[in-house]
Amino acid sequence: MDHDTLTTLLGDLYEECDGGRPYVDPEYAGLLLDVVTATLDPAELAGYPTTLRAFVQFHHDDLAEMIRDYGPDSAFAKHVWPYQLVRTPHAIALCERLTVKPIDLTYYWNENFESDTPIDDLACAWGRG
C-alpha cells in the first residue's frame, strides 16, 4: 500500500469524523506513514485499509469528539503545540496503532522523530496516555 493511497483514505475517514480536509505537508505525511507502516506485519499491510475503516466505524464517536475538542476547529488549532497530530488525517492511523500496538508505535516514533511530545499529546487526546 503506497503513501498516497493511505493519505487519501485517511483524508476520507477524517472527513467522516467531521474533521474536514486539512492540508498536510506531503513530506511530514510520509514520515508519519513510515512510522505507522513500520508497526504493521507484512500480512497486515495489504488489509490495512479495511482495518482502518473498521477502526473508524467502531470508534467513530470517540474520534469525532477528539477531532472536535483538539482538531482544526478547536481552541488549540491556532497553536503549534499541543495536539498538532490531531489536526492531521494521519491521526486516525496513529490512534489505531496506539490502540493496537502502542509499544511498537512509540519505538518507531522515537526512531524517526526527535521529540515524543506530539505522540504523547495525541495519546492523551485519544485517552491512551
Side-chain angles (χ1 to χ4, degrees), residues 3 13 17 25 30 33 42-43 48-49 51 60 62 72 77-78 80-83 92 98-102 110 113 128:
H3 284 188
L13 294 172
C17 294
D25 177 89
L33 289 176
Y48 195 54
T51 299
H60 180 274
D62 293 330
K78 59 185 155 197
V80 174
W81 303 103
Y83 310 114
I92 290 173
L98 280 168
T99 302
V100 176
K101 290 191 174 179
N110 290 334
F113 294 99
R128 304 294 194 270

Side-chain angles (χ1 to χ4, degrees), residues 69-105:
D69 290 349
Y70 303 104
D73 295 327
S74 73
F76 293 102
K78 59 185 155 197
H79 305 290
V80 174
W81 303 103
Y83 310 114
Q84 73 174 20
L85 290 174
V86 180
R87 296 187 293 269
T88 172
H90 299 80
I92 290 173
L94 292 166
C95 286
E96 187 273 336
R97 296 284 85 189
L98 280 168
T99 302
V100 176
K101 290 191 174 179
I103 294 170
D104 291 353
L105 181 66

